[in-house]
Amino acid sequence: MELIDGKILANTIKDEIAAEVDQLKSAGSKVPHLAAVLVGEDPASQAYVRNKVKSCERVGFDSTLIRRPADTTQAELLEIVDQLNKDDNIDGFIVQLPLPDHIDEDEVTLAIDPKKDVDGFHPVNFGRMAQGLSCYIPATPFGILQMLRRLDIPTQGKEVVVIGRSNIVGTPISILLSRKAEIGNSTVTLCHSRTQNLKEHVLRADIIIAAIGRPNFVTADMVKEGAVIIDVGINRVDDASRKRGYRLVGDVDFEAVAPKSSFITPVPGGVGQLTVVALLLNTLKACKKEVYG
Ligand code: NAD
């Protein structure tokens, strides 16, 4: 069993990005600039956005954080999006989800200029991804692709089972791994809450990607000997022994599944680390106008 250390991989890629930024600077070119919009006080969202801003500093990007209170109106948020779309100094931006209940997330996502949509959530980017055209790939699936590529984990002809069909993880990674591509050409089964005989499907998998949001959902009896385990889930479980009263666990019963696996990602310290890096890679592409010219 090999533990996939997301932090080490992420640091390697951040070093590569930082080196590219240095080259841009010495050539007198513009440095990538990412903006993040955070509405409300959700603690997890605040932590994610802080991490994104810190990662920008680490690689030499410029970053702008726009914070607004939870009672910001739909119109006010759309105005901010419009300003960011028009601002030539900003290469890409994200609106941190989830948004407060009174805001229509779909309308906000649709308002973002696809050329600046470094989260890859806009249907234009999603459609381009599905057709194999150049696009911004959503950050978590892009991070998973980086992980598979850099660890030389073969995907060609492999049985992949994805559990969870969200628009940000399960559905895009299922599309990406079934595409005709170097990291792709897999036979993908997408399982979800209505799947029957889930265990039978998962037992066939050479690669399991769990994006469900339920602690310890994937148990050892569901896993084939030697499978690769990519655990996307981030779940809080009560833990009185911790100062903050909880700890983070994935969707996979790590202790029981790890001995059966060939590769496994820990939570924390696995996929999440690569998600942030993928956002940086998309912002670099935006700055270099690699996707839309
Ligand atoms: P989601 O919460 O939108 O949806 C959950 C999915 O799980 C649904 O598609 C549903 O069909 C499926 N599901 C629920 N119960 C099921 C069951 N009993 N059997 C089979 N499938 C079932 O999904 P999401 O937004 O992709 O989030 C999933 C998890 O991944 C969450 O824990 C989230 O915090 C985490 N996440 C982590 C990262 C990261 O960077 N590591 C990024 C995004 C999400």
Side-chain angles (χ1 to χ4, degrees):
M1 184 274 288
E2 186 174 329
L3 186 69
I4 301 179
D5 190 326
K7 202 158 194 170
I8 292 181
L9 273 176
N11 274 327
T12 304
I13 303 173
K14 282 180 185 170
D15 287 345
E16 291 169 11
I17 298 172
E20 269 212 53
V21 173
D22 281 345
Q23 278 176 9
L24 288 172
K25 273 187 190 157
S26 26
S29 305
K30 183 182 176 311
V31 165
H33 190 161
L34 174 73
V37 184
L38 176 61
V39 182
E41 306 292 328
D42 177 60
S45 293
Q46 290 189 46
Y48 290 143
V49 169
R50 246 195 329 268
N51 193 10
K52 287 167 187 175
V53 170
K54 223 170 80 187
S55 297
C56 282
E57 281 165 16
R58 154 84 165 77
V59 298
F61 285 9
D62 289 335
S63 64
T64 298
L65 173 56
I66 300 172
R67 298 190 67 149
R68 289 292 181 270
D71 61 0
T72 301
T73 65
Q74 178 91 12
E76 283 165 344
L77 184 53
L78 289 173
E79 177 56 30
I80 292 170
V81 168
D82 189 45
Q83 294 296 325
L84 291 170
N85 282 340
K86 288 177 183 153
D87 186 341
D88 288 340
N89 197 28
I90 305 285
D91 298 295
F93 65 97
I94 59 153
V95 178
Q96 183 65 42
L97 303 179
L99 290 165
D101 287 346
H102 66 278
I103 292 185
D104 178 348
E105 282 186 1
D106 289 343
E107 196 184 353
V108 174
T109 301
L110 283 167
I112 297 173
D113 181 344
K115 294 189 178 74
K116 293 194 174 187
D117 168 41
V118 285
D119 253 341
F121 293 165
H122 193 287
V124 166
N125 278 310
F126 203 93
R128 291 175 69 101
M129 176 191 72
Q131 295 194 341
L133 300 171
S134 80
C135 65
Y136 298 115
I137 297 173
T140 302
F142 192 18
I144 295 171
L145 295 188
Q146 290 288 329
M147 205 173 236
L148 295 170
R149 184 163 72 80
R150 285 170 185 261
L151 293 170
D152 280 327
I153 295 174
T155 60
Q156 309 264 340
K158 299 293 179 189
E159 292 280 344
V160 174
V161 172
V162 177
I163 319 174
R165 57 179 162 188
S166 72
N167 283 342
I168 61 168
V169 187
T171 298
I173 194 66
S174 72
I175 293 170
L176 288 161
L177 287 176
S178 51
R179 291 193 321 185
K180 190 173 180 180
E182 191 199 337
I183 306 298
N185 287 328
S186 305
T187 304
V188 181
T189 305
L190 179 56
C191 296
H192 45 77
S193 53
R194 305 289 174 91
T195 297
Q196 302 207 339
N197 307 321
L198 183 92
K199 183 175 162 183
E200 274 173 36
H201 292 290
V202 183
L203 263 174
R204 273 205 325 271
D206 301 307
I207 301 174
I208 299 170
I209 301 179
I212 312 144
R214 295 193 178 201
N216 302 326
F217 182 91
V218 177
T219 48
D221 59 318
M222 296 164 78
V223 175
K224 181 169 84 174
E225 202 68 46
V228 174
I229 314 290
I230 308 290
D231 190 353
V232 182
I234 302 177
N235 309 291
R236 283 183 182 194
V237 295
D238 293 341
D239 186 343
S241 72
R242 302 285 172 105
K243 213 166 112 192
R244 53 188 182 182
Y246 69 88
R247 72 196 145 88
L248 296 179
V249 300
D251 289 345
V252 175
D253 180 358
F254 184 88
E255 298 301 327
V257 170
K260 290 184 89 175
S261 67
S262 54
F263 287 91
I264 187 165
T265 60
V267 178
V271 174
Q273 298 281 334
L274 274 295
T275 295
V276 182
V277 162
L279 181 66
L280 298 175
L281 287 170
N282 276 343
T283 306
L284 183 62
K285 281 179 189 222
C287 178
K288 290 161 70 183
K289 307 220 179 312
E290 272 180 17
V291 175
Y292 285 98

